[in-house]
Amino acid sequence: MRAAQRRYIDEFLPHVAAERRDLADQLETLDDAAWATPSLCGTWTAHDVLAHLTFSVEEKTLPLLVEVARARGDMNAVFDREARERAAAMSPAALLARLRATAEDPHRLGLSGPTDPLDDVLVHGQDITRPLGLVRPMPVERVLLVIDACWGSPVWGTKKRFAGVRAVATDADWARGEGPEVRGPIGELLLVATGRPAGLDALSGPGTAEIARRTAPSPLRS
């Protein structure tokens, strides 16, 4: 077993499994109207986001690479199609059952980092629940496990978004960058780091207006 996978199993999978089970418990009473509600994640509904969460546990690397090649390198397009097709084929109840059944599954895509599955369920949990007016806490200790990887990832454009600004968590010993400060709970900083404007309302400080300008709504699907 490669070192990165061993690290994932030992350090991150227990948190991932707990988040998956807790999210399934929180969502099990949603009705059809709630599942059809637009999420924070581009044009996906809550149902689509849930489908993506179960797809990412089961997808194999080689078939995914083939699909990405067919899409001319556009992984978001592949994720979009897969999520919509899976949501069309499986009810929310069936998807919640899959989320529970695979909660402790150690599989992750070969292209992903050890922190990615935890980041996935933390952020997508917010994508589903916030538009529904549901409160879903993001445990500080779990956000701390993933936020640095998100900060340095080219996928989210975080470095460009926070260039010339100092981000400071108000509920954890965490800060990054130099310049006018943007302060707020670390979970909200994670949302903004991954391109979700919904996290902006909890931020303050002289750099906030610039970060808001750089965090325009976009068709994120990952």
Side-chain angles (χ1 to χ4, degrees), residues 32-187:
D32 290 344
W35 285 114
T37 299
S39 73
L40 299 182
C41 197
T43 58
W44 281 352
T45 64
H47 191 177
D48 295 330
V49 178
L50 177 62
H52 170 71
L53 280 171
T54 62
F55 154 78
S56 63
V57 177
E58 300 176 1
E59 181 62 47
K60 304 303 182 184
T61 302
L62 184 56
L64 177 63
L65 289 175
V66 171
E67 291 301 314
V68 172
R70 289 174 177 167
R72 298 183 179 181
D74 190 346
M75 186 171 290
N76 267 345
V78 175
F79 284 162
D80 185 41
R81 178 177 56 78
E82 292 279 1
R84 293 179 191 278
E85 289 180 356
R86 195 172 180 88
M90 299 180 70
S91 68
L95 290 167
L96 288 173
R98 291 302 301 150
L99 191 63
R100 287 192 177 97
T102 58
E104 295 185 44
D105 193 323
H107 172 74
R108 62 185 177 85
L109 289 174
L111 300 176
S112 68
T115 65
D116 287 348
L118 182 54
D119 166 34
D120 209 35
V121 69
L122 284 171
V123 174
H124 284 317
Q126 301 299 315
D127 287 337
I128 294 172
T129 56
R130 291 203 178 197
L132 297 173
L134 300 176
V135 175
R136 180 163 183 77
M138 283 191 282
V140 169
E141 66 275 15
R142 291 177 181 162
V143 178
L144 283 169
L145 288 172
V146 303
I147 193 167
D148 282 332
C150 292
W151 218 258
S153 172
V155 173
W156 304 116
T158 309
K159 285 186 177 180
K160 182 177 181 180
R161 185 174 301 117
F162 282 86
V165 172
R166 181 167 177 78
V168 179
T170 55
D171 55 353
D173 183 15
W174 184 92
R176 295 293 181 272
E178 298 295 335
E181 283 193 358
V182 174
R183 298 181 296 273
I186 196 165

